[in-house]
Amino acid sequence: MSYVFGSLPAGVLELRMTAQGSQEQGVGLSADGGWITVNGEKFKEGVLWTATAPDTVEVKTQPQRGSDSLTVRVWNVWKHPKWGSTMAGVANAGLLVELLSADAVKLHASAGPGGPTFDDLVIEASFRPDDG
């Protein structure tokens, strides 16, 4: 139901998101052992909605003080067309993971409603450590 980037140092996780269909799609993010920052906002867990986020988003990663790394989890979320509530990990939700390199993946997400379709949301994610 999610993809985990483990043992990330301080750096940037670049996300490119492409949603299809009329259902509102988003990318859930959470940090364990540190913080993630998007557009100057620092948080532990949040959602980037494809309707309001740019196609490409830079997510800065920062391990907590005294640590060299953190874990970042990525998953798909959607708004249920009937109730408008945010949902994840139910019905036919899931991810197909395509490894592109040691630091990059393409996630093909199926939202829950209807049959499984792994093109509801495509997330290309690549990581680059800070140069410093």
Side-chain angles (χ1 to χ4, degrees), residues 10-83:
V12 174
L13 182 62
E14 184 177 275
L15 302 175
R16 286 181 297 286
M17 306 172 288
T18 307
Q20 298 205 15
S22 59
Q23 196 165 312
E24 191 170 352
Q25 299 285 323
V27 176
L29 297 166
S30 68
D32 186 24
W35 297 92
I36 48 183
T37 303
V38 175
N39 200 25
E41 295 293 323
K42 183 177 173 181
F43 57 96
K44 289 273 192 185
E45 185 172 316
V47 174
L48 300 172
W49 291 103
T50 58
T52 55
D55 292 340
T56 301
V57 177
E58 288 193 346
V59 178
K60 294 182 181 178
T61 61
Q62 183 62 53
Q64 64 191 21
R65 190 171 302 202
S67 180
D68 293 334
S69 65
L70 75 155
T71 298
V72 175
R73 183 177 301 273
V74 178
W75 67 95
N76 68 313
V77 300
W78 63 92
K79 291 208 177 162
H80 192 281
K82 183 175 179 182
W83 299 292

Side-chain angles (χ1 to χ4, degrees), residues 104-124:
V105 295
K106 186 185 272 190
L107 306 173
H108 302 267
S110 176
T117 58
F118 290 94
D119 60 357
D120 292 329
L121 177 65
V122 176
I123 307 159
E124 291 184 55

